[in-house]
Amino acid sequence: MTPPVAHGRGDARALAAVRLLHTAIWAFFASSILAIPVTVWLGQVVAALWLSVFVWGEVVVLVLNRMRCPLTTLAARYTDDRADNFDICLPRWLARHNQRLFGTLFALTQLQLGWALLAG
């Protein structure tokens, strides 16, 4: 993995801060998506609904930004690097396929949650 190329010392620090923040936010939403089926399975449908609300909020943010995280735009100010993971601390393959992978998982969790709500 090639480290991001920043313009200057201050830019390198700003880019590192954006990457860490982006990674922390990604971890929250990814773990929320993974927790939804667990909470449904445990019968905690209200908790699953709250997790879904948080993720739907992120979906709205992405849609309003043409499916691009606003932190990606912010990180781009501090580097010329445009690798798939220039803006986040993830392996390149995961950064490249992140929306497809977690979008599919989220859609499946919403089907499971909907089924639980109808059955319950």
Side-chain angles (χ1 to χ4, degrees):
M1 179 169 91
T2 307
V5 178
H7 299 230
R9 187 177 188 150
D11 287 349
R13 286 185 179 161
L15 178 60
V18 172
R19 291 183 84 221
L20 287 173
L21 176 62
H22 196 180
T23 303
I25 292 169
W26 175 87
F28 172 80
F29 286 112
S31 60
S32 294
I33 290 169
L34 296 174
I36 292 168
V38 174
T39 56
V40 170
W41 182 74
L42 293 172
Q44 302 295 320
V45 178
V46 173
L49 282 168
W50 276 109
L51 291 168
S52 292
V53 166
F54 293 139
V55 177
W56 276 111
E58 173 68 2
V59 169
V60 168
V61 168
L62 290 172
V63 168
L64 292 175
N65 287 287
R66 294 175 292 218
M67 299 311 292
R68 183 177 168 118
C69 179
L71 291 174
T72 299
T73 303
L74 180 61
R77 294 180 188 174
Y78 302 111
T79 182
D80 293 329
D81 185 3
R82 293 299 179 267
D84 292 317
N85 62 346
F86 84 93
D87 60 331
I88 194 165
C89 301
L90 294 176
R92 192 173 290 180
W93 68 268
L94 182 53
R96 181 178 302 132
H97 302 291
N98 179 52
Q99 286 184 358
R100 188 173 316 124
L101 175 66
F102 283 95
T104 300
L105 288 173
F106 184 58
L108 292 172
T109 69
Q110 296 307 277
L111 291 173
Q112 180 198 23
L113 180 56
W115 182 263
L117 288 170
L118 290 174

